[in-house]
Amino acid sequence: MTHRSAVLLMLLVTLMWSSAGVVTRHLDAARGFEITFWRSAFNALALVAILGVMRGRALLPALRGAAVWASGVCWAVMFTAFMVALSLTTVANVLVTMSLSPLFTAVFAWLFLKQPVPARTWAAIVIAGAGIAWMFGGQLGGPLTGVIVALGVPLAAASNWCLLQKVGQGAGTDMLPAVLIGALLSAAVTLPLAWPLQASVHDLGLLGFLGVFQLAIPCLLAVRLARELPGHELALLGQAETLLGVLWAWFFAGEHPGSAALIGGSLVLAALVANEALAPSSVKPVLKNA
């Protein structure tokens, strides 16, 4: 896979991830933890089907191993902490906190993988973070509890990207089942908090869409791309999720973003484009293909 192909595929992943906000705006009765439970449950069902076809009888043995479970816990934190944080603080606080993901990933990769981070990427991380802060800065405030919980998302994401690349450099452990472990853990943790379940048939259809197309498929692709792109670049490209999520809510849910969001979003987009445009033309994959 060429570097350009990997970048385009990661942008497709962020496009799929960004659908969550606008889809949840059209739910009838499901709220809070129930959204997380059903999304994770449908995610797990989809992953059982997809990985069952891909791995067959090798799926169960692939669920073993410390690295797979460590990555699974990271996925579970990412799947769950976002919704828990939203129940404790504003969307703006959560999104601004999540924008720290590229910075954490770059620092972790530098510290633990000895992976150099180009100056252009450091600059892009700062500009993209400033853009997201600009988008939501006027709405910041409230208790710190939600912000502390939201920190779990970028910390877990940074740990996961580094873990995926570290494992891939060794014996080539199959890390795709880790997404399934994360989905199962997230569903198990949020079910008691979501009870009694109130989702309508209409809600279940939308949440099933999220489980399959907003989580299962893009997360599997992201694991694969962790072998092609450095973690800090994956996390930086992932910032497009915030920008796209705002646009979808504007176009399909009538939530006008306002001038601050448009200016901040332009900064994010400019940072992403500049980082990729300034990359050397002959960038080799981070890890060997299996």
Side-chain angles (χ1 to χ4, degrees), residues 101-114:
S101 179
L103 177 60
F104 288 159
T105 304
V107 171
F108 284 9
W110 177 62
L111 287 176
F112 302 117
L113 300 180
K114 307 304 179 184

Side-chain angles (χ1 to χ4, degrees), residues 8-52:
L8 292 175
L9 195 54
M10 186 60 194
L11 289 175
L12 174 62
V13 167
T14 62
L15 174 65
M16 299 171 80
W17 278 340
S18 69
S19 63
V22 67
V23 171
T24 55
R25 290 295 186 271
H26 297 282
L27 295 173
D28 291 331
R31 295 291 184 271
F33 290 108
E34 186 174 3
I35 296 174
T36 304
F37 164 72
W38 282 117
R39 188 180 66 155
S40 294
F42 282 119
N43 181 18
L45 289 174
L47 289 168
V48 167
I50 295 171
L51 293 175

Side-chain angles (χ1 to χ4, degrees), residues 131-283:
I132 293 176
W134 190 300
M135 290 172 72
F136 301 104
Q139 306 172 44
L140 295 179
L144 292 177
T145 305
V147 173
I148 294 172
V149 173
L151 273 173
V153 179
L155 287 172
S159 301
N160 204 22
W161 294 135
C162 293
L163 176 62
L164 290 171
Q165 294 190 346
K166 181 66 174 179
V167 171
Q169 291 171 345
T173 303
D174 183 7
M175 297 298 287
L176 291 180
V179 186
L180 173 57
I181 292 174
L184 292 172
L185 291 175
S186 177
V189 168
T190 54
L191 177 57
L193 300 172
W195 199 266
L197 303 176
Q198 302 179 27
S200 64
V201 174
H202 172 262
D203 289 348
L204 292 177
L206 293 179
L207 292 168
F209 169 84
L210 290 181
V212 177
F213 297 102
Q214 192 262 330
L215 281 186
I217 294 175
C219 287
L220 290 178
L221 289 173
V223 172
R224 175 64 181 85
L225 290 171
R227 298 166 53 186
E228 303 292 341
L229 297 170
H232 55 78
E233 188 169 10
L234 285 167
L236 180 58
L237 289 168
Q239 295 301 294
E241 178 188 357
T242 301
L243 174 60
L244 292 171
V246 170
L247 292 178
W248 303 150
W250 182 14
F251 295 154
F252 302 111
E255 295 186 5
H256 194 282
S259 59
L262 294 177
I263 295 172
S266 298
L267 286 174
V268 174
L269 183 59
L272 296 176
V273 172
N275 183 66
E276 298 307 326
L278 295 175
S281 58
S282 56
V283 179

Side-chain angles (χ1 to χ4, degrees), residues 68-83:
V68 174
W69 275 87
S71 179
V73 170
C74 289
W75 284 113
V77 171
M78 293 159 65
F79 293 155
T80 308
F82 176 73
M83 187 54 65

